[in-house]
Amino acid sequence: MLTVLTPLSPPFMSLQNYYVITSVCGSQFGNMAAHRLSPSLNRLLFAVKYSSFQSRCCAGHCYAHYSTVSSPSEKTFDKILIANRGEIACRVIKTCRKMGIQTVAVHSDVDFSAVHVKMADEALCVGPAPTNKSYLNMDAIMEAVRATGAQAVHPGYGFLSENKEFAKRLAAENVAFIGPDTHAIMAMGDKIESKLIAKAAEVNTIPGYDGVVKTAEEAVAISQQIGYPVMIKASAGGGGKGMRIAWNDNETREGFRFSSQEAASSFGDDRLLIEKFIDNPRHIEIQILADKHGNALWLNERECSIQRRNQKVVEEAPSTFLDPETRRAMGEQAVKLAKAVQYSSAGTVEFLVDSKKNFYFLEMNTRLQVEHPITECITGLDLVEQMIRVAKGYHLKYKQEDIPINGWAIESRVYAEDPYKSFGLPSVGRLSQYQEPLNLSNVRVDSGIQEGSDISIYYDPMISKLVTYGATRAEALAKMEDALDNYVIRGVTHNIPLLREIITHPRFISGDITTNFLPEVYPEGFKGLQLGADSRRELLASAAALHITTQLRSQRQLGDLRVSSAPLELIRWDLVVELEEGKHSVEITKSGNVYTVEVDGEQVEVSGLWNLASPLLPLSINGTHRMLQCLSRDASGRIDLQYKGTLFKIRVLSKLAAELNSYMPEKVPEDTSSLLRSPMPGTVVAVSVKPGDTVAEGQEICVIEAMKMQNSLTAARGAKVKSVHCKAGETVGEGDLLV
């Protein structure tokens, strides 16, 4: 089934497009002729429907951090199809526009109004929401290539980006695959073969078993031979999927089961390998770029050690850990590996690095990496442009000595996830309010969503990649702190509280990080910002000042004298502010726009513009600039404030109201210890119990798959199963009763 959206381009449009549907999804490809509307109707439709839409692939004032300067004499392609969705599709379209190349977007039926669809020159529906029926549907995508006459396909990352069969089919139809040749994808896409090739190329490798592990018991025997701990991983895997660490025989059996299931689900290949797990390593990768003429470069490193469930959360370039000698040695080994497989295009060689700077080959990703923007920021190269040039057959423009390290770049992956659950379990919903921090300099936001977009269970829950750049690491970190505070996301739970805590943690600031950073820093799980005495006073004073500002506005606009009829220039109030089980007596006075708040015997001065219609609340607190966000407030004094990234629920009452409130009966929370509820939206893969079964503490009850990751839910205590409310194949929402 196919939908074609054709752009209409009024003369005042720059990076903005809007579309008219010319054929609705059907069983066959329809007529692709564009239907022109009158200029006046064009302008009206544009103003009404897409006035808020803009390209956000490289936002703010970060335009200079990478450049696309195409030579008019360098002819590449007339039209490129992007076989992907979301932010990476938008990112590719941005460079294509700069190079004067037309673009074709593909989309599933639920993505019909996605940002990448609006940005592209043409868009085609390739199937329903499930990825295997749309973005992994090679037949539909090949038909889209033929129907649009695309001369090349950029696969982005994930989906078909490392699928050798897809690259073969494109080559058979004389369509360029913007990536490496098929033999390189085959060699590096198989972790077992890639390790053997790396050994032959004299690249440092991790000790382990070089063959395919076929059964759980064979996995146990091999693990005992290697010595625990071991890493069980999918041969065709990537992105943290199909990977498990095992410390004993039982964990090996369980890891074998889950890794093979995840590998089959994500990659259509359940083969596994086992190697020694290097405890407390750093994850550092080298970006490489090679052409079809034997030239290859390494574009410095990216530090990717901050991870959860083997998936990266915060990345930076360069690394604080590498010295020039180690950087050069890693870069040269990465290039040797690329040349060993005649690699051409952008690619990434990943290494584990121990505390003594010994480094070991982990895998090679034969595609554009998610975190490529930070390399672009410190080198000035547009990696998408370089991939397109290489695919057309051009030589690299640069030599190794031309590749700089200019400044420092940091990337935070902003996800629709609940960071308080295992450092991030997926959240779904609609973005009811969305505002990127584009007002700040040296900030880049790669996103594929906008206000009103849906985050669904079908795809990765990434909202955006937030990138900040500075002349020094300290400058880039300070800018990231500001950007996270200025980022407005409503309608879904997000991981900004965790991101902000990471980048302000003393260990991260000092560069003392490993892949175990999160479990070491938060052994009991992430709990959000832990308020110190000064931070608590700042938050209490801000809430009290906001409450009075709201009341005074009501007094002026509605004639509601709920506060005091004293002159507005100088007024005093006695309040009680409730925060985290504590009650604090607060005395507040106002002079002009400045509030003086006495909290716990200390005075705090709070001033600001107090625009109550804005989601952002820029304040000066004792002379220090703070950006707070007010998510909600009501007449009962309840205020939800986001402070330093973390959401706090506060209640502000007059002294009398607080006294009367103390007589109200407390609501006793429901005892839910005997209920197993789904911690996230997803699909039930397996149910391991039935009514009447007796289960022990830690025993598996069921398995939920969310965003291609399988999660085993276990019994919190020994008990008897009374009833089961789910079955394999069912879709469940967060909080749904399972057992």
Side-chain angles (χ1 to χ4, degrees):
M1 85 184 142
L2 168 70
T3 300
V4 178
L5 302 182
T6 308
L8 306 171
S9 304
F12 56 85
M13 292 177 63
S14 55
L15 291 182
Q16 298 170 318
N17 280 332
Y18 67 94
Y19 303 78
V20 57
I21 299 178
T22 60
S23 64
V24 180
C25 276
S27 58
Q28 300 295 328
F29 288 94
N31 178 15
M32 297 181 195
H35 294 290
R36 291 285 176 185
L37 303 181
S38 69
S40 59
L41 184 54
N42 277 348
R43 287 191 288 272
L44 177 62
L45 285 173
F46 176 78
V48 171
K49 192 165 186 182
Y50 297 123
S51 58
S52 65
F53 170 68
Q54 59 182 314
S55 171
R56 300 184 178 91
C57 289
C58 186
H61 302 279
C62 195
Y63 297 110
H65 299 328
Y66 75 95
S67 60
T68 306
V69 184
S70 301
S71 169
S73 61
E74 261 193 8
K75 177 70 174 172
T76 56
F77 304 102
D78 296 323
K79 185 184 289 187
I80 291 175
L81 182 143
I82 298 103
N84 216 299
R85 66 181 299 278
E87 64 86 12
I88 191 59
C90 296
R91 167 69 190 88
V92 174
I93 291 170
K94 186 174 181 66
T95 288
C96 287
R97 277 181 172 165
K98 290 182 179 180
M99 297 177 72
I101 300 170
Q102 287 193 310
T103 54
V104 180
V106 295
H107 65 91
S108 66
D109 54 9
V110 298
D111 272 347
F112 72 96
S113 62
V115 173
H116 74 282
V117 173
K118 295 173 183 176
M119 285 182 69
D121 297 295
E122 299 172 61
L124 300 92
C125 179
V126 290
T131 55
N132 64 330
K133 296 180 180 178
S134 51
Y135 296 105
L136 289 173
N137 185 345
M138 272 190 267
D139 290 339
I141 292 175
M142 290 302 301
E143 194 173 350
V145 171
R146 296 184 205 105
T148 58
Q151 299 162 323
V153 172
H154 197 300
Y157 57 75
F159 294 136
L160 297 172
S161 63
E162 296 177 280
N163 189 300
K164 57 184 180 290
E165 293 304 320
F166 184 54
K168 277 182 183 177
R169 290 182 64 172
L170 289 172
E173 300 204 18
N174 202 29
V175 175
F177 178 75
I178 302 176
D181 293 333
T182 306
H183 68 273
I185 297 175
M186 291 174 64
M188 292 293 101
D190 187 310
K191 286 186 171 63
I192 296 169
E193 186 178 348
S194 67
K195 191 172 178 181
L196 295 173
I197 293 171
K199 278 184 178 179
E202 298 181 339
V203 175
N204 303 345
T205 58
I206 301 170
Y209 180 68
D210 293 333
V212 177
V213 184
K214 296 177 181 175
T215 67
E217 292 311 311
E218 185 183 2
V220 169
I222 292 168
S223 299
Q224 290 172 346
Q225 208 170 34
I226 295 171
Y228 288 109
V230 298
M231 172 69 84
I232 304 168
K233 54 207 272 191
S235 177
K241 297 178 176 68
M243 296 176 69
R244 290 290 191 281
I245 300 165
W247 295 80
N248 54 50
D249 292 354
N250 287 335
E251 289 184 6
T252 299
R253 292 185 182 94
E254 186 179 83
F256 181 89
R257 177 164 70 99
F258 283 123
S259 291
S260 58
Q261 288 173 356
E262 285 178 7
S265 172
S266 299
F267 316 113
D269 184 344
D270 63 358
R271 292 176 303 144
L272 301 178
L273 65 114
I274 298 178
E275 59 192 18
K276 182 71 177 175
F277 174 65
I278 298 175
D279 202 10
N280 285 317
R282 285 175 178 258
H283 185 134
I284 300 176
E285 60 191 27
I286 301 292
Q287 175 71 56
I288 61 111
L289 182 64
D291 63 23
K292 298 179 185 295
H293 309 283
N295 304 304
L297 307 170
W298 48 276
L299 309 183
N300 303 308
E301 80 279 5
R302 294 186 288 258
E303 171 74 72
C304 306
S305 297
I306 305 298
Q307 304 181 3
R308 49 99 178 92
R309 298 191 299 280
N310 299 307
Q311 292 179 316
K312 300 160 191 170
V313 180
V314 177
E315 303 101 344
E316 61 182 309
S319 168
T320 60
F321 190 62
L322 296 190
D323 52 58
E325 292 74 24
T326 309
R327 176 179 295 116
R328 186 181 307 107
M330 292 175 70
E332 288 173 352
Q333 286 201 16
V335 166
K336 281 170 68 175
L337 181 61
K339 289 186 173 181
V341 292
Q342 298 176 323
Y343 194 87
S344 60
S345 194
T348 299
V349 181
E350 300 191 351
F351 293 95
L352 291 181
V353 185
D354 68 18
S355 58
K356 297 179 181 178
K357 293 189 172 70
N358 298 309
F359 57 90
Y360 305 94
F361 170 70
L362 184 62
E363 65 181 3
M364 183 177 189
N365 292 315
T366 58
R367 53 170 167 80
L368 189 64
Q369 199 82 330
V370 176
E371 57 274 16
H372 75 275
I374 53 177
T375 296
E376 294 182 325
C377 283
I378 67 166
T379 63
L381 297 180
D382 182 333
L383 293 182
V384 175
E385 179 196 14
Q386 298 305 317
M387 293 177 76
I388 293 171
R389 290 186 70 258
V390 168
K392 188 62 178 176
Y394 289 109
H395 287 75
L396 294 181
K397 288 182 177 179
Y398 310 98
K399 299 187 182 303
Q400 190 61 56
E401 55 268 24
D402 299 329
I403 306 303
I405 297 181
N406 290 328
W408 214 284
I410 298 170
E411 175 179 289
S412 293
R413 298 193 187 189
V414 182
Y415 282 104
E417 290 183 338
D418 186 345
Y420 301 98
K421 296 177 180 177
S422 302
F423 300 112
L425 291 183
S427 169
V428 298
R430 177 165 294 172
L431 291 165
S432 56
Q433 196 169 15
Y434 184 74
Q435 184 177 311
E436 293 171 351
L438 307 183
N439 56 309
L440 303 176
S441 62
N442 290 345
V443 172
R444 168 176 169 175
V445 185
D446 282 21
S447 69
I449 48 90
Q450 60 185 350
E451 195 164 285
S453 292
D454 288 314
I455 307 295
S456 75
I457 65 170
Y458 298 107
Y459 312 116
D460 187 271
M462 181 185 284
I463 293 173
S464 74
K465 300 179 310 198
L466 177 63
V467 180
T468 58
Y469 174 84
T472 64
R473 186 172 187 261
E475 192 179 310
L477 280 172
K479 187 62 68 176
M480 180 61 74
E481 192 175 333
D482 285 346
L484 290 168
D485 285 344
N486 279 269
Y487 208 146
V488 178
I489 303 171
R490 306 280 190 272
V492 295
T493 306
H494 55 76
N495 68 332
I496 283 179
L498 176 62
L499 294 172
R500 199 185 187 284
E501 282 297 289
I502 290 170
I503 60 118
T504 57
H505 194 279
R507 266 189 63 178
F508 184 84
I509 292 171
S510 69
D512 177 19
I513 58 176
T514 70
T515 55
N516 286 331
F517 178 88
L518 289 178
E520 286 175 359
V521 171
Y522 308 106
E524 303 300 319
F526 179 66
K527 307 293 183 186
L529 172 66
Q530 301 303 296
L531 292 170
D534 290 343
S535 295
R536 186 178 299 276
R537 278 192 293 271
E538 283 191 9
L539 181 57
L540 292 168
S542 301
L546 176 61
H547 175 75
I548 294 301
T549 300
T550 305
Q551 296 283 20
L552 289 174
R553 187 183 70 164
S554 299
Q555 176 182 329
R556 286 193 301 269
Q557 295 182 352
L558 304 176
D560 183 355
L561 304 182
R562 285 179 290 179
V563 191
S564 166
S565 58
L568 296 181
E569 288 74 25
L570 182 62
I571 301 181
R572 176 182 173 280
W573 297 270
D574 291 317
L575 303 173
V576 174
V577 184
E578 299 175 354
L579 170 66
E580 294 180 336
E581 310 296 327
K583 297 182 180 180
H584 304 262
S585 294
V586 170
E587 183 181 292
I588 180 169
T589 57
K590 180 178 185 290
S591 178
N593 280 330
V594 180
Y595 290 95
T596 302
V597 188
E598 187 171 310
V599 184
D600 301 332
E602 299 276 345
Q603 281 200 344
V604 181
E605 278 201 351
V606 183
S607 61
L609 296 177
W610 304 105
N611 179 0
L612 300 181
S614 171
L616 296 173
L617 198 61
L619 300 178
S620 174
I621 305 177
N622 285 341
T624 302
H625 174 74
R626 299 284 187 209
M627 182 63 77
L628 281 69
Q629 295 188 31
C630 181
L631 277 71
S632 68
R633 62 183 189 277
D634 62 26
S636 70
R638 297 183 194 278
I639 302 174
D640 288 355
L641 274 183
Q642 185 174 307
Y643 171 75
K644 294 185 177 181
T646 296
L647 177 64
F648 292 92
K649 293 186 175 295
I650 305 168
R651 193 175 186 191
V652 184
L653 300 168
S654 68
K655 256 191 170 176
L656 175 60
E659 185 181 339
L660 294 173
N661 193 60
S662 66
Y663 295 104
M664 297 292 288
E666 287 189 19
K667 184 178 179 181
V668 179
E670 178 191 3
D671 179 14
T672 60
S673 61
S674 64
L675 306 177
L676 178 65
R677 296 187 181 276
S678 179
M680 77 212 87
T683 303
V684 180
V685 175
V687 179
S688 307
V689 297
K690 62 183 184 299
D693 285 357
T694 300
V695 295
E697 181 180 348
Q699 182 176 332
E700 182 178 287
I701 303 297
C702 63
V703 177
I704 303 290
E705 183 178 286
M707 287 25 173
K708 298 294 182 184
M709 295 291 286
Q710 294 196 359
N711 303 272
S712 175
L713 307 185
T714 59
R717 56 184 172 84
K720 187 175 183 180
V721 177
K722 182 179 179 182
S723 58
V724 176
H725 297 267
C726 63
K727 59 184 178 182
E730 282 187 344
T731 299
V732 294
E734 181 180 352
D736 284 0
L737 180 62
L738 302 176
V739 178

